[in-house]
Amino acid sequence: MSWDVRAASEADVEAVAELRAVVPRADLERLGRYDERRVRQRLRDGFEPACTQVIEVGGAFAGCVALRPAEDAHWLEHFYLAPRLQGSGIGSGVLRRLLERCDRGGTLVRLNVLQGSPARRLYERHGFAVESEDPVDVFMVRAPA
């Protein structure tokens, strides 16, 4: 399946917020953490278009991913792909492209994933290891290759 990424803009915030309300919903509900309004508002409050890329399939919005620079690493955040496209290889392709860029820069990458989320397997396949965890989140790290 053909996909591409483009820089996000402020105009993308509502589409990204809606996707965030859909993709992790089952995991958040299982953990007792889903709140219809809060899930969208947290995304809106932390949306940084300069750090975010929109994933497009056939020229249409299909997902997003953010790579936010921090003091000792980059944080991989807001990595959401429309449910109908999950398992198609797009997520792996997007992640591989981001990690290659981080590898070239010698940059450590951190992320957190919800406990029990199938996304954890994707991250482990791409070299992430568990650094710590709590009842809700698993914090993972990947050193540059």
Side-chain angles (χ1 to χ4, degrees), residues 1 10-11 14 27 33 43 58 71 74 87 91 96 102 112 115 120-121 125 128 142:
M1 187 172 294
E10 285 292 337
E14 289 307 315
D27 291 323
R33 307 286 282 197
L43 183 286
E71 190 172 307
H74 279 52
R96 189 170 29 258
C102 290
N112 65 291
Q115 286 282 3
R120 179 176 170 172
R121 290 189 304 276
R125 283 194 310 270
F128 284 87
R142 180 187 178 275

Side-chain angles (χ1 to χ4, degrees), residues 38-98:
R38 186 171 179 256
V39 71
R40 291 173 177 85
Q41 194 58 48
R42 279 191 69 196
L43 183 286
R44 290 179 191 116
D45 292 345
F47 186 67
E48 293 183 44
C51 299
T52 306
Q53 294 182 316
V54 168
I55 304 163
E56 295 183 328
V57 174
F61 178 87
C64 60
V65 63
L67 195 60
R68 181 179 52 82
E71 190 172 307
D72 69 334
H74 279 52
W75 278 87
L76 182 69
E77 302 173 322
H78 309 305
F79 192 10
Y80 306 117
L81 189 62
R84 65 181 166 64
L85 298 169
Q86 292 175 10
S88 67
I90 295 171
S92 288
V94 170
L95 185 55
R96 189 170 29 258
R97 187 183 290 180
L98 285 174

Side-chain angles (χ1 to χ4, degrees), residues 7 30 32 44 56 82 85 92 99 101-102 108 117 134 138-139:
R30 178 179 41 75
R44 290 179 191 116
E56 295 183 328
L85 298 169
S92 288
L99 294 176
R101 191 172 83 205
C102 290
L108 190 75
S117 172
D134 63 30
V138 177
F139 294 88

